[in-house]
Amino acid sequence: MKQDLIGVVGEDNVLDDQASLGSYGRDESFVLPIKPRFVVRPGSEDEVQALVVWANETLRPLVPVSSGGPHFYGDTVPSVPGAVMVDLSRLNKIRRIDRRNRIVVIEPGVTYAQLQPELAKEGMRVTPPLFPRANKSVVASLLERQPTLIPRYNYALPEPLRNCGVIWGDGQKFFTGESGHGPLDLEQQWAAGLRQVDPKGPAQTDFFRLLTGAQGTLGIVIWASVKCELLADPKKTLFVPADTLDDLVDLSYRLTRLRVGDELFLVNSSYLATLVAGDAAEIPALKEALPPWTLVIGVGGRALLPEERMAVAEKDITAEVAARGLRLLGAAPGLATTRVEAVLDGLAGEPHWKLRYKGGVQDIFFHTTLENAPGFLSTMMSTAQAHTYPTGDVGVYLQPQHQGVSYHCEFSLPYDPTDAHETANLKALFSKAGERLIGQGAYFSRPYGEWADLVYNRDAQSTAALRAVKSILDPNNVLNPSKLCF
Amino acid sequence: MALEEFRADAMRCTRCSYCKWIPFDLVKSWEFSKGCPSVDYNNFHSYSGGGRLITMLSLMDGRSEVNDRVVDIAYKCQLCGNCDITCKVCRYDMNVLDALREFRRTLNEQGQVPVAYPGIIAKLRESGNMIGAPQQRRASWADGLGLKQLGVDGVDKAEVVFHAGCRYSFDPSLRSAVRAAATVLTKAGCDFALDGAEGCCGGKAYDMGYRDDFAAVAKANLERWAAAGVKKVVTPCATCYYTFKRLYPEVGSTIEVLHTVECADRRIKDGSLKLTRPVPVTVTYHDPCHLGRQGEPHVPWDGKEVKIYGQAVVYDPPRPRYIGAYGVYDPPRDVLEAIPGLELVEMERSREAAWCCGAGGSVREAYPEFNAWTAGKRIEEAGSTGAEILATACPGCEKNFAEAVSASGTKMKVLDVLELVEQAL
Amino acid sequence: MALPQEAYQALEDIVGAENVSNDAAVLDSYAFQWLADLVRPNLSHYMPRPVAVVMPGSTEEVQAIVRLANKYKVKVKPHGTGWYHWAAPIYDDRDSLQLDMRRMNKIEIDEKNGIAIVEPYVIHAQMHAEAIKRGWSCTIIGAGCSCSVIAAACAYSGIGPGTFWMGGQAENVLGMEWVAPNGEIVRSGSLGSGDGWFCSEGPGPSVRGIMRGSLGARGGLGVYTKCAVKLVHWPGSTDWPVQGTIPAYRLPLDETFRAYTLAVPSWEAWADAYYKIYDNEIGYIFHRQFNLAGADLAPTFWLMYNDHTKTLGDVPDMIKQPGMAELTEEMRISFQLVMAGRSVADIELQDKVLDRILEEVGGWKVERYCEKDMAEFTNIYLNRLGHKHINFVWVGGYIGSWMQPGTPDWVKEYVPTAIAGLERDAKDGLLVQCGGDAMMGTGGAYPGGGVMGLEQFVSYDPNDEASTRAGIKHMEDAVTDAASIGYPPGKEALYLEMGHSDDRTFKKWANAKQPFAFIFQRKIKEHFDPNDLGDRMYNYIPEEYEPAKKA
C-alpha cells in the first residue's frame, strides 16, 4: 500500500510515523481518536484524483484535511481505522485574483494568512469568519459553512463560496456552478472570459451545496472560486453594551434588516474576553470589566466616497441604537478598541484563542432565529448548572447570517482537558446540552460528532436523500466513512 | 360575428392569467387580489377570461364539442369585465369581454343554454320584463310621487325620460331606492317623464345571447322614444345605463344616457341640489360593473386590424380601448362626499378593480349558489372597511348585497347612493 | 389515452369531484400554451393533453395523488400559474395528470424574521402586498408578479429585477416541502428537522442541493407544496398609495426613494457602470427593463403607454414628434435603477455616488424619464412588476433569445451579434421591427451582482403561420449566431428543446461538457421516481445514452 501511495505523491509526501499519525488521529473534540494508517500530501489535482481512484480500487478510506491545527469538531479525525489522511496543504496556489469581478480562485491549501495579504494588494479580502487561525484553509472554512462576519454580504449561507473543482468519491473530476458548463479547464475558461461567479448548477443540482457541510464525505475540493469584498477604508468598530441578550435582540433585528454596518455579532463578556485576551490570566478581569453583553458592529467605507459612507452608516446606527435606549460606544468598556480590531481584521495566532483560558474547549453551535436564542441560552445555562459547570465560563456568540434571517448560535465551554473529572463532566454536559437543545428546536445544520446521529434520526427523509446522494457520488464509501449518516 | 371573429384573440392569448386578478399594481392584500369570481369559484383555468378564449378555440379547432361542461364554462360568468381590463393593462389587441359575449351568443343560437335560461327569457317574451310581472303595474313604484308619464294624461312628448328598469319597477324591497332617485331629481328641478310604456332595456337578453330578443326590444324602445321626441334617458339602473349607452348605439341610437348619480352630481355641483341635513354614517361605495368598468362612453368604430412595424397589431381607424379608465367612478363618490357628515371609506377593490356583486350575466338567476358566494365575498370586503353602509347605484347589486348581508348576519346596511342623498335633503 | 375509470374515481375521492375533470374542453385549457406553437407539430398551440386535470387542496392530497399515479403509472405534471409550455405534459404517447395547484394558496408572514411561507398558488403580487403592509418587500421574478413564488423558488429560475439587492428566489428560499414522485415528503434544511422554516442548508450537506440548481425541475420531478422565502426591508409607505389611471399607475416616490432611467454612451461604459454599481452597493432594483420594447421604439412606446388616451397605433406619429428622435438616441443604451435609502442621509449619499459613477463612465440620467410622471411609473412598475404581460404587447407572441448569463464584460461581447441577428431576422417584416436591440435583463442575476444576461425580446404573431415560422427560425439563428462567436446557446435553446424528441435531447445532454451532471440527475430520479412519473423537464440521460467511460 505504501508503495502505491509513494507512486502517486512521492516518498517525501507519505507519512506513517507515529507522531504524525497521532496528530491527525485526534483533535480537540470528544470524537473517538482513531489514527490513520498513512498521511499523504498530494501536490496537484491529478495526484488527488489518483488517490481517490486508488481508494476505490483498494476500498481504503480517505479523510481529507486542508487546515493546520488545532481542529475542533472531529470532522477530520478518521471514524474508521486504516484510513489515509489526504492533507491538501500542498495544494496552496492562489490561481487567479480578479479585482474587476472580485473573484479569487484558490486551492484548498490556501490559508487566510496566505490569501488576505495578496487580496489586500488589490484592495479586497474574503469576508472572514470570526478570528480564524492563520493556518485555517479558506476553502475548508467555506465548505464547513463557518459563519462569516458581515451579514449583509451573506446572500446565502454558503457565501462567499462560489464554484468548485472537485474529485467526487468515485474518482471523477467535476466542476460545479457556472464553471460546470465548461470547458473543464480553468485557463481556457479565463481565456474565454468566464469567471466562475454563479454558484448554482450546473443543471438542476446545486452540486456545491452538496459539498458544503459534507465533512469531506462526498468529494475532495481541488479549487474554489470565492467572492471578495472590497476592503473598508476608513473603518471603525462600535459597541453596544447591554445587561441581557434580550436587550439587544430588537436592535440586532433592526440593524440586519436595514443592512447597515459591516461586521455585526453579539457576544457575552466571557466570549469577548476570551476572544481578545492575550493570555489566560487576563480573562477573568476582562470578563468583569466588559459589559455582560455586547453587540459589536463595524462600519466602513468602500469604493466611492468612503468617508461619507462610513459617516452615514454610523449616523443611521446611532439613530437606531438611541431609539432603543441603548448606548453606542466607540470602544467596549474595559477594552481597547485595537484589540477588537485585531480580532476583526487579523488572524489568530497560537495557542488558539479558544484554548487559552483553560487549555480545552467544546463548542456547541446550531442555527436559530434570533428571537429563540434567549430560550436556548436559558437551556444551556440550566444544563450547565445541572452539571456544576460554571455558567460564568459559558461563552456565547451569535452571528447573524443570511442577512439576518437566521443566526449561528454558539456556546463555547472552556475546560481543563488535563483534569479527568472536569473532562468527564464536560463530556456529559456537552451531550446533554446537545440533546436538550435539539429537542427544543435548535437546528444543528452542521452536525459534527455525536450530533450527526441526533440530527439524522430526526429527519428520516433527508437522511434517505443524502444516502442516495452518497451512493451516487461515493458508491464505495471511501471518503471519510462513518461520518454523518453514511 | 361568429366565434371565428375571435380566433386571433384566442391564438394571441398567452395564458398569462392576468385575467384572474385585479390590476396587479392595485393589489394591497392576499384576500382582495382576486378579480374574477368565476375562476375563483370554479378553479379550472377554463373559467377565466383566457380560459374561455381557449375553450372557444378548442371548439373552433374541432378538438372538443359543446356539452354541459362547455355550457357551464360559457355561462357561469358574470361578464363583469375584470378579465377584459386586466388583459388590456398590457395588451392593445385583445377584446376578451366581447369574445365572452360572442361565446354565449353562439351557444345560444345552437340552443345550448343553462337550464334556467328558457324560463328567464320566457318572462321577457311573455310579460315584456325580466321579472315576469304584469307590465301594467310597472309604474306603480311611483305612486304618489306625482310624476309625469308619457302616454298618460295627454303627455305625449318628453325630452327626458326616467327609465326605472325592470327590477326597480317590480321589486318591492327596492322601492325606496327608486323612489329616492326620482324624488332627488325632482327636488333638483329636473324635468322628466316616466315612460308609460316602459319596457325592458334588453340588456340581460343581450348578455344571455338572445340577440334577436334584444334587437326587438331595443327597436321598440327607440321607436317609441323617437315618436315622443326623447333626447335623453336617465336611469337609476346600471345595467340599463350600460345597455342604453353602449349597446343601443350599435343599433342606431343617438340618445344621450345618464345615470341618476351623474344627474345628482351635476345638480350638486351647479347648486341646484342642496344637501343640508347631516347624515353621519360611514359608507363604502361599490362600483357596479355596468356603471364603473363598463360605464365608459360609447365610441363608434368600424375598422380593421392593420399591422405596423412588421407585425405589431393596430387598428384603422384606431379602435376604442374600453379599458375602464373612463367609467363613472367620481360622480357617485363626489355625491357621497357632498353629504354633510358622511365619511367615505374605500374598499381595496374599487373603481375599475371592483369585485362584481355576483348578479351579472344572469348568474343570479342561472347559478344562485355562485351568485350568493360572489356577493358574500364582496360583503366581507365591505365589512373589512369598517363601514356601516354599503352604498351602490344598481338594483341588481343592491338586491344581491341585501340578501348576502342577511345571510351573513352582519349589521351592515345596503343603500342606493340616492337614498343617502334623499336623507340629506 | 384515458385514465381507467377506477383511477378517475379515486381522484374524485381524494380531491372531491368538483376538483377533477377529464372533459376535453377543460383539458384543452391546460394543453394550450404560449410557446407551444413554436415547438409542436403543425404550429399547434396545444401541448399534449393531460388525461385529467386535478386540483389538490393540501400536501396530503398531493401525496395521495402521487401514490395513485404510481399505482396506475400515470405521469404527474404540476404547475403553479402555468405560464410556460413546460408547465403542460410533454408526451403525446404517455398518460399524464395535470396538477393545477390553484387550491393550495395560503400565505403566512413571519413579520419578525422577515419570512413568507407560501403554498404553490401564492403569486408574487400577493406576497408583495402582504409584505408591504408590514414594512417588508420581496424580490419579484422577471416574469412578473403574476407568477407563483414556489414555482420561482423551487421549480424554475427565481431571478428578477430585484435580485441585485434582494436576492433571487434561489438565494432567498428557506425551507422547501417536496412530495417526491415516490410519494415521500422531503423537507429541506431546518424544516426537515421540524425546527421551522428559517434555514435552507443542511443538515450537513444541503438536501436542497438536489432540489434545484441553476433551475428547478420545472414540474418534472415531483410536486413542491410549500416553501418559505426571505423578505427584504421596505423603507417606503406601507399604504401603497397608488395613483394614476389604468393602465399606467404610479407610485409616488417616498422621501428615500429614487427611480431613474440612466444611459451610457457605449457598451464599454455600460459594463463599467454595472461593475461600479456592484462595487458601490447602490440600488434597490436594477434592471434594463424598458428596452424590451426595442431600442428604436421603446422611448416612444413607454410615453405612449403612460398616456391613457393613446394606443399602440399612436406610436408611429408620436415617434415623429420633435425631440423623439433625440430621446431615442439618448436612450439607446439605457437601463433603470430604483434606489431606496434606509434614511434620508443614505439616499442622498446613494445619489451622490450615482452621480460620481455617471461622471466616471460618461453616463447620464435620461431627463424625460426621470421627470415625476415617468419616475413614479418606473417606481411602481419595477417594485410591483405587474406589467410583465407587456412582453407580448406588440402582437401576443414573444420569444426570449440569448440571455446567456455571465459577467457584464462577457455579456457585452455578444451584444453586437445579438443586435445584428435580430435586425437580420426582422428585416422581412415577419417579426416586429423594433430595432435590433430589444434586449432586457437584470442588473444582477446573483445578489451583489457579478452575473447577468441580456435577453432579446422577439415579437411574432401567433395567429400568423409565416410570422410563427419566422420566430422559430430566429431561435435557430440565435443558436447559430452564438456559436459563430464561440458562445453557448441562450434561452431559446430551452424553448426549442421542448419540440425535440427524447432521443435528440438525451444525446445533446450526453455531449455536454459534464454529462455527469445529467447522469447524477438520472440516478436521483431513479431513487425518487422509480416509476418515471416525471419528465425530462428534470434533465437526465438514461443509462444507454451515457458516454463511454474513459479507460
Side-chain angles (χ1 to χ4, degrees):
Chain A
M1 185 165 49
K2 188 169 179 179
Q3 287 311 309
D4 290 343
L5 296 172
I6 288 170
V8 175
V9 300
E11 189 164 8
D12 289 347
N13 296 309
V14 179
L15 308 176
D16 60 359
D17 62 283
Q18 286 307 307
S20 297
L21 299 182
S23 77
Y24 284 92
R26 66 184 314 125
D27 72 1
E28 301 298 322
S29 74
F30 287 139
V31 304
L32 185 67
I34 298 181
K35 286 191 218 164
R37 183 70 185 84
F38 292 99
V39 176
V40 296
R41 302 184 307 166
S44 70
E45 294 177 10
D46 289 344
E47 288 181 13
V48 174
Q49 186 171 32
L51 286 168
V52 178
V53 168
W54 169 84
N56 275 273
E57 286 165 358
T58 59
L59 299 184
R60 284 282 162 183
L62 301 178
V63 178
V65 60
S66 304
S67 307
H71 300 273
F72 289 94
Y73 306 131
D75 49 320
T76 54
V77 174
S79 290
V80 297
V84 175
M85 298 301 302
V86 180
D87 183 329
L88 299 160
S89 55
R90 289 180 61 222
L91 266 83
N92 63 353
K93 290 198 212 45
I94 299 172
R95 301 280 295 272
R96 188 169 198 271
I97 297 177
D98 179 344
R99 164 63 184 90
R100 185 143 157 107
N101 291 287
R102 286 197 271 124
I103 289 280
V104 63
V105 181
I106 53 177
E107 293 182 345
V110 172
T111 62
Y112 283 100
Q114 181 190 352
L115 181 60
Q116 302 288 46
E118 291 304 312
L119 291 176
K121 294 175 190 169
E122 299 283 344
M124 302 192 292
R125 72 168 183 175
V126 167
T127 312
L130 180 58
F131 210 22
R133 57 190 189 272
N135 61 5
K136 179 72 184 178
S137 151
V138 177
V139 171
S141 175
L142 295 171
L143 288 175
E144 286 168 39
R145 292 200 304 263
Q146 266 197 302
T148 52
L149 287 175
I150 302 185
R152 76 162 196 276
Y153 289 151
N154 198 238
Y155 316 117
L157 289 175
E159 278 293 304
L161 179 66
R162 297 298 174 91
N163 295 201
C164 298
V166 59
I167 306 295
W168 293 123
D170 69 354
Q172 59 176 315
K173 191 188 296 193
F174 190 85
F175 283 6
T176 76
E178 62 161 282
S179 73
H181 297 291
L184 297 181
D185 176 306
L186 286 175
E187 300 285 343
Q188 286 182 29
Q189 291 204 8
W190 296 330
L194 301 169
R195 296 289 181 260
Q196 304 82 44
V197 179
D198 193 336
K200 303 194 293 288
Q204 289 141 316
T205 304
D206 265 350
F207 288 95
F208 87 111
R209 282 195 147 90
L210 299 177
L211 290 166
T212 67
Q215 298 180 37
T217 56
L218 297 174
I220 299 180
V221 172
I222 49 177
W223 62 263
S225 66
V226 183
K227 186 74 175 183
C228 302
E229 53 161 292
L230 294 178
L231 279 175
D233 178 21
K235 65 179 291 183
K236 62 163 89 156
T237 312
L238 302 170
F239 304 84
V240 182
D243 290 331
T244 70
L245 173 57
D246 289 277
D247 292 337
L248 295 172
V249 163
D250 192 60
L251 177 65
S252 193
Y253 268 119
R254 183 69 177 167
L255 295 176
T256 51
R257 177 173 175 164
L258 294 179
R259 304 221 199 138
V260 65
D262 293 341
E263 295 88 349
L264 200 169
F265 56 92
L266 297 83
V267 279
N268 71 350
S269 54
S270 186
Y271 202 98
L272 185 52
T274 310
L275 198 54
V276 303
D279 56 53
E282 276 197 271
I283 291 175
L286 270 173
K287 277 163 68 166
E288 279 303 304
L290 288 168
W293 289 88
T294 307
L295 184 150
V296 179
I297 182 162
V299 278
R302 297 171 174 77
L304 294 168
L305 305 178
E307 289 83 8
E308 273 196 61
R309 196 184 290 269
M310 186 171 80
V312 168
E314 189 173 350
K315 182 174 183 220
D316 288 346
I317 293 166
T318 303
E320 296 298 333
V321 170
R324 287 157 183 84
L326 297 164
R327 297 178 298 146
L328 183 68
L329 307 175
L335 192 59
T337 308
T338 48
R339 292 240 228 168
V340 177
E341 285 165 1
V343 163
L344 297 186
D345 296 336
L347 300 172
E350 291 183 5
H352 193 280
W353 57 272
K354 280 184 183 258
L355 301 175
R356 279 183 195 170
Y357 188 30
K358 290 191 167 171
V361 72
Q362 294 301 322
D363 292 335
I364 300 176
F365 51 86
F366 50 87
H367 254 89
T368 178
T369 50
L370 179 59
E371 64 193 330
N372 291 320
F376 294 129
L377 176 62
S378 186
T379 298
M380 183 70 243
M381 292 309 196
S382 66
T383 312
Q385 275 177 337
H387 286 78
T388 63
Y389 181 89
T391 55
D393 277 357
V394 176
V396 185
Y397 163 48
L398 281 155
Q399 179 61 59
Q401 292 197 266
H402 209 184
Q403 297 178 325
V405 163
S406 62
Y407 281 64
H408 164 92
C409 179
E410 178 178 316
F411 301 125
S412 199
L413 309 171
Y415 74 106
D416 179 359
T418 64
D419 182 326
H421 177 74
E422 199 175 318
T423 302
N425 196 43
L426 186 67
K427 250 188 176 168
L429 166 59
F430 183 83
S431 297
K432 193 66 185 171
E435 254 179 64
R436 291 186 71 198
L437 290 164
I438 284 182
Q440 199 182 335
Y443 176 51
F444 280 69
S445 59
R446 300 159 61 200
Y448 293 102
E450 65 190 67
W451 299 333
D453 258 354
L454 295 174
V455 165
Y456 292 115
N457 278 326
R458 257 173 106 76
D459 185 356
Q461 291 302 334
S462 288
T463 304
L466 290 175
R467 285 182 177 154
V469 169
K470 174 75 166 175
S471 72
I472 300 168
L473 298 177
D474 184 18
N476 292 318
N477 197 7
V478 299
L479 292 184
N480 216 354
S482 294
K483 283 269 185 287
L484 302 178
C485 53
F486 344 98
Chain B
M1 285 283 213
L3 283 190
E4 279 292 337
E5 296 288 329
F6 293 95
R7 171 176 284 278
D9 293 70
M11 294 284 271
R12 292 169 182 157
C13 172
T14 73
R15 212 191 178 286
C16 71
S17 291
Y18 275 47
C19 47
K20 298 174 181 164
W21 311 91
I22 64 171
F24 288 118
D25 286 354
L26 303 179
V27 171
K28 287 193 171 195
S29 70
W30 176 88
E31 179 62 53
F32 303 129
S33 54
K34 295 90 179 274
C36 173
S38 183
V39 79
D40 232 44
Y41 185 76
N42 298 288
N43 282 312
F44 292 114
H45 182 63
S46 325
Y47 286 85
S48 63
R52 290 190 176 90
L53 288 177
I54 299 165
T55 307
M56 290 163 65
L57 188 69
S58 177
L59 292 170
M60 285 189 252
D61 288 346
R63 290 171 57 98
S64 52
E65 290 174 350
V66 181
N67 58 14
D68 287 348
R69 172 64 82 176
V70 171
V71 169
D72 202 63
I73 289 168
Y75 291 98
K76 210 163 182 178
C77 156
Q78 285 95 350
L79 296 176
C80 72
N82 175 81
C83 55
D84 191 68
I85 66 143
T86 50
C87 182
K88 288 169 175 173
V89 166
C90 298
R91 298 286 296 273
Y92 291 85
D93 60 330
M94 300 283 284
N95 256 344
V96 181
L97 188 56
D98 284 351
L100 304 193
R101 291 203 169 103
E102 187 56 29
F103 193 12
R104 289 175 174 222
R105 194 196 64 77
T106 303
L107 293 189
N108 191 306
E109 279 181 356
Q110 298 168 16
Q112 300 276 12
V113 292
V115 158
Y117 269 30
I120 301 169
I121 202 63
K123 290 181 186 173
L124 178 65
R125 290 172 183 165
E126 287 156 21
S127 357
N129 62 70
M130 298 306 300
I131 309 296
Q135 271 291 89
Q136 56 268 37
R137 283 185 26 228
R138 194 167 178 111
S140 57
W141 63 269
D143 287 350
L145 293 181
L147 301 174
K148 283 187 295 190
Q149 278 194 57
L150 277 177
V152 174
D153 297 336
V155 177
D156 59 2
K157 295 283 184 202
E159 274 204 14
V160 181
V161 150
F162 181 103
H163 176 96
C166 299
R167 186 168 290 287
Y168 269 142
S169 295
F170 295 111
D171 190 332
S173 71
L174 300 173
R175 190 129 298 172
S176 76
V178 63
R179 286 173 69 88
T183 302
V184 165
L185 294 194
T186 305
K187 285 263 159 67
C190 298
D191 180 21
F192 61 89
L194 303 185
D195 180 351
E198 180 184 297
C200 182
C201 67
K204 277 175 78 69
Y206 185 100
D207 279 352
M208 290 160 70
Y210 295 106
R211 297 294 176 89
D212 291 344
D213 290 84
F214 162 79
V217 161
K219 182 169 184 282
N221 284 336
L222 288 170
E223 283 175 354
R224 195 174 63 253
W225 292 338
V230 173
K231 302 239 177 336
K232 189 187 294 191
V233 170
V234 173
T235 178
C237 171
T239 299
C240 300
Y241 175 78
Y242 172 85
T243 305
F244 296 145
K245 187 170 174 179
R246 291 277 290 276
L247 300 180
Y248 274 35
E250 299 291 329
V251 292
S253 168
T254 55
I255 303 256
E256 185 188 348
V257 182
L258 284 175
H259 191 284
T260 46
V261 290
E262 291 182 289
C263 296
D265 180 52
R266 290 182 187 187
R267 297 294 172 141
I268 292 168
K269 284 171 177 159
D270 72 16
S272 39
L273 190 62
K274 295 201 190 321
L275 308 181
T276 53
R277 272 208 298 168
V279 185
V281 290
T282 323
V283 174
T284 191
Y285 174 72
H286 164 82
D287 294 275
C289 301
H290 286 139
L291 183 63
R293 225 172 359 243
Q294 298 185 39
E296 296 182 293
H298 176 262
V299 178
W301 185 75
D302 181 16
K304 59 184 193 310
E305 174 186 302
V306 297
K307 285 191 171 173
I308 58 172
Y309 302 125
Q311 293 294 317
V313 167
V314 299
Y315 301 91
D316 181 29
R319 190 172 76 172
R321 283 204 81 195
Y322 296 127
I323 193 179
Y326 312 115
V328 180
Y329 305 119
D330 288 323
R333 286 172 170 82
D334 290 348
V335 166
L336 288 168
E337 287 190 312
I339 296 174
L342 187 146
E343 188 196 347
L344 180 63
V345 292
E346 293 279 7
M347 288 184 271
E348 281 184 25
R349 292 178 295 191
S350 64
R351 297 175 174 256
E352 67 269 21
W355 175 263
C356 181
C357 74
S362 294
V363 162
R364 182 183 159 79
E365 294 81 9
Y367 301 101
E369 277 178 21
F370 172 40
N371 170 56
W373 174 89
T374 306
K377 289 289 180 189
R378 191 57 162 168
I379 294 301
E380 273 172 31
E381 185 173 4
S384 74
T385 65
E388 306 155 65
I389 291 173
L390 171 57
T392 187
C394 173
C397 301
E398 281 153 21
K399 182 74 174 175
N400 248 26
F401 289 146
E403 287 174 356
V405 161
S406 175
S408 74
T410 169
K411 295 206 176 24
M412 178 166 278
K413 291 213 220 20
V414 180
L415 291 175
D416 187 87
V417 173
L418 294 203
E419 286 180 277
L420 288 162
V421 172
E422 190 185 28
Q423 289 180 32
L425 293 174
Chain C
M1 281 194 328
L3 210 51
Q5 182 51 38
E6 64 173 25
Y8 190 86
Q9 178 70 57
L11 287 173
E12 286 186 328
D13 291 342
I14 294 169
V15 300
E18 68 279 13
N19 294 313
V20 57
S21 173
N22 58 1
D23 178 273
V26 172
L27 298 181
D28 266 357
S29 74
Y30 291 89
F32 177 99
Q33 282 287 349
W34 155 55
L35 295 175
D37 44 329
L38 300 173
V39 299
R40 292 287 285 159
N42 305 313
L43 310 181
S44 168
H45 279 239
Y46 303 93
M47 297 297 287
R49 213 186 244 177
V51 290
V53 60
V54 56
M55 298 189 289
S58 67
T59 303
E60 291 68 34
E61 288 183 15
V62 171
Q63 188 177 37
I65 293 166
V66 167
R67 287 183 169 146
L68 184 89
N70 273 287
K71 179 174 171 189
Y72 289 97
K73 309 282 193 288
V74 180
K75 287 187 171 298
V76 171
K77 195 62 181 287
H79 73 53
T81 61
W83 196 20
Y84 248 132
H85 53 342
W86 48 66
I90 66 168
Y91 295 113
D92 288 290
D93 59 352
R94 278 174 257 187
D95 292 348
S96 180
L97 295 176
Q98 177 94 78
L99 264 59
D100 181 342
M101 302 303 290
R102 207 187 136 78
R103 291 176 58 225
M104 293 184 68
N105 64 357
K106 307 252 186 330
I107 182 172
E108 193 190 313
I109 306 265
D110 172 355
E111 267 187 72
K112 197 160 187 70
N113 294 292
I115 297 172
I117 301 134
V118 295
E119 289 187 338
Y121 210 80
V122 172
I123 62 171
H124 283 80
Q126 293 176 307
M127 183 168 76
H128 190 254
E130 290 295 329
I132 292 283
K133 279 200 287 202
R134 296 164 168 86
W136 293 96
S137 184
C138 65
T139 200
I140 299 182
I141 57 164
C145 69
S146 67
C147 302
S148 152
V149 176
I150 278 191
C154 309
Y156 186 46
S157 168
I159 292 171
T163 297
F164 170 63
W165 197 85
M166 306 181 184
Q169 298 299 31
E171 292 77 50
N172 296 341
V173 74
L174 302 167
M176 294 188 262
E177 179 181 90
W178 174 43
V179 180
N182 61 4
E184 300 296 341
I185 302 177
V186 185
R187 298 179 173 93
S188 66
S190 55
L191 190 67
S193 290
D195 296 330
W197 294 93
F198 60 90
C199 182
S200 72
E201 307 302 325
S206 294
V207 171
R208 66 162 280 182
I210 61 167
M211 292 182 177
R212 63 154 300 151
S214 308
L215 295 179
R218 292 179 291 166
L221 194 71
V223 187
Y224 286 87
T225 47
K226 280 200 182 66
C227 86
V229 291
K230 70 190 241 310
L231 303 173
V232 299
H233 182 57
W234 170 253
S237 165
T238 54
D239 290 338
W240 194 250
V242 177
Q243 295 170 3
T245 303
I246 191 172
Y249 299 108
R250 298 183 181 152
L251 184 67
L253 289 154
D254 287 300
E255 189 182 25
T256 66
F257 276 70
R258 306 286 187 269
Y260 294 126
T261 290
L262 309 171
V264 289
S266 68
W267 285 100
E268 286 68 33
W270 168 86
D272 286 344
Y274 276 40
Y275 281 111
K276 286 177 193 289
I277 290 171
Y278 298 159
D279 280 355
N280 282 279
E281 301 178 60
I282 59 168
Y284 192 68
I285 301 175
F286 177 16
H287 207 261
R288 189 181 199 223
Q289 174 72 213
F290 292 153
N291 200 64
L292 70 88
D296 286 3
L297 301 180
T300 309
F301 170 84
W302 292 106
L303 293 179
M304 177 283 299
Y305 186 78
N306 270 270
D307 182 344
H308 50 79
T309 68
K310 299 228 180 307
T311 73
L312 220 50
D314 290 305
V315 170
D317 283 337
M318 285 177 71
I319 206 167
K320 294 184 200 134
Q321 297 303 307
M324 287 312 300
E326 290 81 358
L327 179 63
T328 303
E329 286 321 300
E330 186 190 350
M331 282 179 67
R332 192 148 286 282
I333 308 175
S334 58
F335 56 94
Q336 283 66 48
L337 189 71
V338 170
M339 306 200 297
R342 59 177 183 261
S343 64
V344 170
D346 180 36
I347 193 63
E348 285 175 351
L349 175 64
Q350 288 195 49
D351 257 336
K352 274 174 135 168
V353 168
L354 175 62
D355 285 343
R356 281 279 301 269
I357 291 173
L358 292 174
E359 201 183 300
E360 288 183 0
V361 303
W364 59 90
K365 291 172 184 162
V366 178
E367 201 184 317
R368 177 62 188 94
Y369 272 63
C370 296
E371 284 169 7
K372 185 168 187 283
D373 59 342
M374 292 307 288
E376 291 181 347
F377 171 69
T378 305
N379 193 33
I380 199 172
Y381 184 109
L382 286 178
N383 269 296
R384 180 53 65 85
L385 218 54
H387 297 252
K388 285 309 296 179
H389 191 199
I390 287 186
N391 292 9
F392 304 80
V393 71
W394 294 117
V395 61
Y398 138 66
I399 293 161
S401 59
W402 295 86
M403 211 179 79
Q404 292 85 335
T407 67
D409 282 340
W410 187 83
V411 168
K412 84 167 157 38
E413 294 304 314
Y414 67 67
V415 163
T417 308
I419 291 176
L422 181 53
E423 273 173 359
R424 175 200 64 220
D425 290 344
K427 206 173 4 201
D428 58 7
L430 290 175
L431 300 172
V432 171
Q433 293 161 322
C434 51
D437 176 5
M439 288 182 288
M440 188 214 75
T442 184
Y446 192 83
V451 281
M452 43 79 61
L454 287 174
E455 173 186 354
Q456 283 281 38
F457 271 57
V458 180
S459 301
Y460 71 98
D461 184 356
N463 193 41
D464 182 303
E465 281 197 15
S467 181
T468 305
R469 289 193 197 287
I472 295 169
K473 181 167 186 307
H474 167 78
M475 290 197 290
E476 291 162 354
D477 285 348
V479 174
T480 310
D481 287 342
S484 75
I485 54 169
Y487 273 61
K491 195 177 182 185
E492 72 283 338
L494 271 188
Y495 296 171
L496 285 170
E497 200 176 82
M498 298 298 292
H500 298 162
S501 64
D502 272 0
D503 179 64
R504 179 173 171 177
T505 311
F506 293 149
K507 280 178 176 153
K508 180 176 77 168
W509 291 334
N511 276 322
K513 291 287 192 308
Q514 289 200 124
F516 179 68
F518 303 102
I519 295 169
F520 175 89
Q521 291 187 181
R522 183 194 78 240
K523 294 183 178 182
I524 290 291
K525 180 180 162 76
E526 282 167 355
H527 177 85
F528 286 105
D529 188 13
N531 289 320
D532 192 23
L533 304 191
D535 62 27
R536 62 162 211 261
M537 295 305 92
Y538 179 71
N539 302 166
Y540 68 96
I541 51 182
E543 196 162 355
E544 58 269 29
Y545 286 85
E546 282 189 38
K549 288 200 172 48
K550 297 196 173 123

